[in-house]
Amino acid sequence: MVNNTSPENPVISLVVPMFNESEVLSAFFDRVVGVMNGLHESYEIICVNDGSSDDTLERLVAERERDSRIKIVDLSRNFGKELALTAGIDCALGDAVIPIDADLQDPPEIIPDMVAKWRDGYEVVLAVREDRSVDSFLKRNSANWFYSVMARLGEIPIPSNAGDFRLMDRKVVESLKLIRERTRFMKGLFAWLGYKTAVIHFTREKRVAGESAWKYWKLWNFALEGVVSFSSIPLRIWSYLGVLTSFAALVYMLVIVTKTLVLGVDVPGYASLMVVILFFSGINLICLGVIGEYLGRIFIEVKQRPLYLVRETYGIKSE
Ligand code: UDP
Ligand code: MG
């Protein structure tokens, strides 16, 4: 039943962003191909080489020679996971598309469950991490903190502890392709789409080899991206804060004037003046920063640059 040739219309497309994943490649294919062959559905594995500096591409090409269901999109440079994923999803032909990490932190063994749920009529099957004990203390807590802030700020609830590992029906994929915003926060975009969703729980494993490319500074920027792309509250909050501080300043002014009238002038108000000036310059700078965050994103959007550039594809049909 299982053949090794690439079908015209695969039922399932796996999309794998890869950035310097040469060490984990063969382990990844071993496990994933094993699971997929057991599924008895036609499939393709779209690997997006996100500007790796190691021999990821060469090894992918070698893997493709063995199995033509492995297809490759080679990006012109490192565009980041979100865009690499977008590039892969754009090329996917399957009736269902599943983004999956190359480092096997998303266990491929639950793919059959996802497919079963999809066959039951769900349009999205979400894989939710049961516990993140393999992630470092700081990473886990910052993630929890992020999800709770997002739950309060965002207009669309983003399911907590769900990564990009999920199954999407063709309908959902076509909707996702309509979203062409440049600063992409995939988790938010996925949530924004809606559709009938089922949830599967799993335990996140350790990276099999290599190192996570997400350093804390990058994670922080990623979180900021999420907040700013999916909530306009940071932009609006400042008008309220402005009113509040102006009111406090007014009260303080009345106190000072009354005090001067009653007690007479004592020491020139150097201290209070400094406090007020510093406080308001601080507020001013923060407001400018917030406006800058949004303005920067508007700037990126109006440039209308392509989301990613492809150097070469292997086995991908161009439309
Ligand atoms: N990745 C990518 N481009 C990048 C960084 C990461 O395509 O700039 C891929 C990486 O190869 C992996 C997935 O995104 O398949 C998740 O990356 P990682 O394991 O570093 O993230 P974490 O699991 O720590 O969230
Ligand atoms: Mg990982």
Side-chain angles (χ1 to χ4, degrees), residues 22-317:
S22 143
E23 280 175 65
V24 302
L25 266 190
S26 48
F28 173 79
F29 285 120
D30 279 354
R31 239 172 99 181
V32 166
V33 168
V35 170
M36 293 310 285
N37 285 345
L39 203 58
H40 301 298
E41 303 266 16
S42 59
Y43 67 92
E44 61 178 1
I45 304 177
I46 298 188
C47 302
V48 184
N49 177 35
D50 187 17
S52 301
S53 52
D54 61 4
D55 61 348
T56 299
L57 180 67
E58 289 73 19
R59 296 185 66 158
L60 279 175
V61 172
E63 291 284 349
R64 178 174 160 70
E65 258 148 40
R66 269 198 291 282
D67 186 345
S68 65
R69 290 172 297 195
I70 296 171
K71 300 173 183 179
I72 310 163
V73 180
D74 183 27
L75 298 185
S76 65
R77 63 168 168 85
N78 179 254
F79 280 89
K81 180 183 177 185
E82 315 278 300
L83 288 174
L85 206 55
T86 307
I89 291 172
D90 286 348
C91 298
L93 296 173
D95 299 328
V97 175
I98 307 175
I100 181 169
D101 282 2
D103 56 12
L104 290 169
Q105 277 190 297
D106 304 328
E109 286 72 25
I110 69 171
I111 291 176
D113 297 340
M114 291 172 133
V115 172
K117 284 263 188 236
W118 173 57
R119 292 286 186 209
D120 284 348
Y122 288 98
E123 290 149 327
V124 176
V125 185
L126 204 64
V128 171
R129 280 164 227 164
E130 198 90 275
D131 80 310
R132 303 178 54 120
S133 47
V134 295
D135 283 336
S136 73
F137 177 79
L138 192 59
K139 191 161 181 176
R140 202 168 32 188
N141 278 285
S142 55
N144 285 339
W145 188 77
F146 169 72
Y147 286 116
S148 72
V149 168
M150 272 315 284
R152 286 191 186 97
L153 285 187
E155 278 110 52
I156 299 116
I158 294 178
S160 56
N161 285 331
D164 300 322
F165 189 34
R166 64 187 62 214
L167 180 148
M168 288 177 284
D169 184 74
R170 176 65 21 206
K171 273 183 278 200
V172 184
V173 174
E174 291 306 319
S175 309
L176 184 66
K177 281 168 145 181
L178 297 176
I179 305 177
R180 293 275 105 183
E181 57 187 74
R182 268 122 200 108
T183 47
R184 303 171 81 79
F185 181 65
M186 286 306 246
K187 283 183 216 209
L189 296 183
F190 288 144
W192 183 87
L193 292 171
Y195 289 101
K196 214 173 137 199
T197 304
V199 173
I200 290 182
H201 293 272
F202 74 94
T203 313
R204 188 138 163 101
E205 293 163 53
K206 255 194 158 40
R207 225 177 198 289
V208 287
E211 200 182 310
S212 170
W214 295 86
K215 294 286 168 314
Y216 288 109
W217 179 243
K218 236 177 121 186
L219 273 175
W220 161 253
N221 280 321
F222 184 63
L224 199 65
E225 194 74 62
V227 171
V228 180
S229 329
F230 279 89
S231 162
S232 50
I233 286 176
L235 201 56
R236 274 184 277 141
I237 203 168
W238 301 104
S239 31
Y240 297 110
L241 207 73
V243 170
L244 223 81
T245 47
S246 308
F247 182 72
L250 192 81
V251 172
Y252 188 47
M253 195 186 81
L254 286 176
V255 169
I256 292 179
V257 169
T258 325
K259 215 172 119 190
T260 319
L261 286 177
V262 175
L263 301 174
V265 182
D266 42 16
V267 202
Y270 176 74
S272 56
L273 220 93
M274 276 314 274
V275 168
V276 172
I277 290 174
L278 286 177
F279 181 65
F280 284 98
S281 348
I283 297 268
N284 263 323
L285 283 179
I286 297 171
C287 296
L288 274 178
V290 171
I291 292 172
E293 284 293 332
Y294 284 90
L295 199 73
R297 277 160 182 80
I298 294 172
F299 181 56
I300 290 169
E301 290 302 323
V302 295
K303 281 190 286 195
Q304 291 283 320
R305 288 199 181 141
L307 296 182
Y308 53 83
L309 297 171
V310 174
R311 179 182 295 122
E312 204 171 333
T313 61
Y314 304 78
I316 304 278
K317 274 206 211 66

Side-chain angles (χ1 to χ4, degrees), residues 1-14:
M1 170 120 186
V2 175
N3 69 344
N4 216 25
T5 53
S6 165
E8 280 292 296
N9 290 305
V11 174
I12 292 163
S13 300
L14 296 184

